[in-house]
Amino acid sequence: FLLPITYYRRLPRLPHPCACLQNLLAEKVEQLMEWSSRRSVVRMNGDKFRRFVKAPPRNYSVIVMFTALQPQRQCSVCRQANEEYQVLANSWRYSSAFSNKLFFTIVDYDEGADVFQQLNMNSAPTFMHFPPKGKPKRADTFDLQRIGFAAEQLAKWIADRTDVHIRVFRPPNYSGTIALALLVSLVGGLLYLRRNNLEFIYNKTGWAMAALCVVFAMTSGQMWNHIRGPPYAHKNPQNGQVSYIHGSSQAQFVAESHIILLLNAAITMGMVLLNEAATSKGDVGKRRIICLVGLGLVVFFFSFLLSIFRSKYHGYPYR
């Protein structure tokens, strides 16, 4: 059956599917740009995550921080990581290279628990990259335990995954300058008050203690903590157990470095007591007690230190 030509002219013209997808993509990008203009990090719940991060079409990359910032969660690491994440997002938002090819978002557990369940995620904080096309790969999950959550490390990871290079700009922090000025003032005031008696400057014991403090700080990994910014400890979300020693030889917690510092200090104290017992000319009984105490400190705390070493370097044969 042939319809009149006038009837064909009256039929509504359906839009092309590609045009619909382009319009939908333009709306999503426009909405994300509007949110990003207000805040560098866009907060998302389950519906927003599925619409703007998971659902196609998408021609932009999304960095998502999965976290738990509510006070009742007691996640101090989440708050520390969020500060670094905000620094990175602000650096991107106010840089000359800012574009609609990359967006920073955050999903809090109390606002998007369904997202955590959908991704089978049982720990926070976690950083993931969702590429414009396809599903995230293993490398799209940031290795927080090994690398730490410093903004510079996150920027390097983002550059590897998206080819977007972000130069991190940190807000000015004058606390170090103020602390240094106070220290110089304190030392200067002390020297002025003791200007008539400066023999304490030549005190070998005082300088030895200061040198040992620096050695303990460096050998315990404080510089590594400063560079990598690892979490203080790790709390297992399933059973609530807190780990202060990292299980890998490629990483450590801040609490772990404090433990190593105390162990090294105890071993050193034992060695000092042994030396004192051997070189002093006091009572023999007193020297014997000092010797036994020093030997006990060395044996006990060095064994403890070696056990931590064996737990991190699996296969280490000695006890």
Side-chain angles (χ1 to χ4, degrees):
F1 296 94
L2 297 177
L3 296 177
I5 190 65
T6 56
Y7 182 80
Y8 284 109
R9 291 175 181 174
R10 294 174 184 174
L11 289 177
R13 186 174 181 179
L14 297 177
H16 195 276
C18 292
C20 294
L21 293 177
Q22 291 177 356
N23 293 335
L24 178 59
L25 177 60
E27 292 177 1
K28 293 169 68 173
V29 172
E30 182 180 1
Q31 182 65 73
L32 286 172
M33 290 294 291
E34 180 183 351
W35 286 336
S36 297
S37 64
R38 300 175 185 174
R39 290 184 178 181
S40 301
V41 179
V42 180
R43 298 189 68 90
M44 289 195 167
N45 54 22
D47 294 335
K48 290 181 179 179
F49 177 81
R50 283 183 285 271
R51 179 184 177 187
F52 292 95
V53 179
K54 294 287 289 184
R58 213 172 61 245
N59 65 347
Y60 50 85
S61 295
V62 184
I63 306 298
V64 185
M65 176 184 179
F66 299 93
T67 185
L69 295 175
Q70 296 301 319
Q72 64 268 21
R73 300 299 175 185
Q74 298 181 353
C75 182
S76 59
V77 180
C78 295
R79 292 190 292 271
Q80 298 171 10
N82 182 60
E83 294 176 359
E84 293 293 313
Y85 191 58
Q86 294 289 341
V87 169
L88 178 62
N90 288 330
S91 300
W92 168 244
R93 172 65 183 83
Y94 297 106
S95 69
S96 59
F98 176 73
S99 66
N100 58 5
K101 298 301 181 183
L102 177 66
F103 296 98
F104 288 86
T105 65
I106 187 172
V107 177
D108 194 285
Y109 179 80
D110 293 282
E111 299 174 2
D114 52 336
V115 178
F116 280 73
Q117 296 176 358
Q118 179 182 354
L119 299 177
N120 295 322
M121 193 171 297
N122 55 12
S123 63
T126 300
F127 298 94
M128 288 188 64
H129 165 243
F130 290 85
K133 296 181 180 179
K135 297 181 179 180
K137 300 178 181 179
R138 183 176 181 180
D140 288 312
T141 300
F142 183 67
D143 193 350
L144 180 69
Q145 299 295 337
R146 186 176 64 88
I147 304 177
F149 49 74
E152 290 79 5
Q153 297 297 331
L154 287 169
K156 183 178 179 181
W157 168 68
I158 291 173
D160 293 338
R161 305 311 304 164
T162 66
D163 290 331
V164 175
H165 298 271
I166 304 175
R167 183 180 178 184
V168 178
F169 292 95
R170 294 185 178 274
N173 185 2
Y174 301 105
S175 59
T177 305
I178 295 174
L180 180 61
L182 291 175
L183 178 61
V184 172
S185 301
L186 180 61
V187 173
L190 180 61
L191 292 176
Y192 178 77
L193 294 175
R194 300 289 299 273
R195 61 185 181 277
N196 297 325
N197 184 11
L198 298 178
E199 294 181 358
F200 68 94
I201 296 180
Y202 304 99
N203 190 320
K204 295 182 180 180
T205 304
W207 287 110
M209 294 296 295
L212 281 176
C213 290
V214 175
V215 171
F216 291 153
M218 295 299 105
T219 56
S220 63
Q222 296 295 335
M223 185 59 69
W224 192 92
N225 294 340
H226 180 74
I227 296 173
R228 296 294 184 90
Y232 187 82
H234 175 69
K235 184 177 182 180
N236 192 320
Q238 297 180 348
N239 53 23
Q241 184 178 1
V242 180
S243 300
Y244 298 101
I245 306 296
H246 199 284
S248 171
S249 61
Q250 302 297 322
Q252 70 177 16
F253 298 131
V254 175
E256 180 179 340
S257 62
H258 294 167
I259 294 173
I260 299 302
L261 186 149
L262 294 176
L263 292 178
N264 287 334
I267 295 170
T268 303
M269 178 59 67
M271 295 299 296
V272 170
L273 292 177
L274 286 174
N275 180 73
E276 184 69 19
T279 58
S280 63
K281 298 180 180 180
D283 181 65
V284 177
K286 183 179 179 180
R287 292 168 58 189
R288 184 179 293 110
I289 294 175
I290 295 176
C291 179
L292 292 176
V293 172
L295 185 62
L297 288 174
V298 172
V299 171
F300 179 79
F301 288 105
F302 187 78
S303 298
F304 192 12
L305 183 66
L306 196 60
S307 66
I308 295 177
F309 185 83
R310 292 181 72 250
S311 66
K312 295 178 67 67
Y313 290 82
H314 305 287
Y316 186 72
Y318 304 108
R319 295 179 178 271

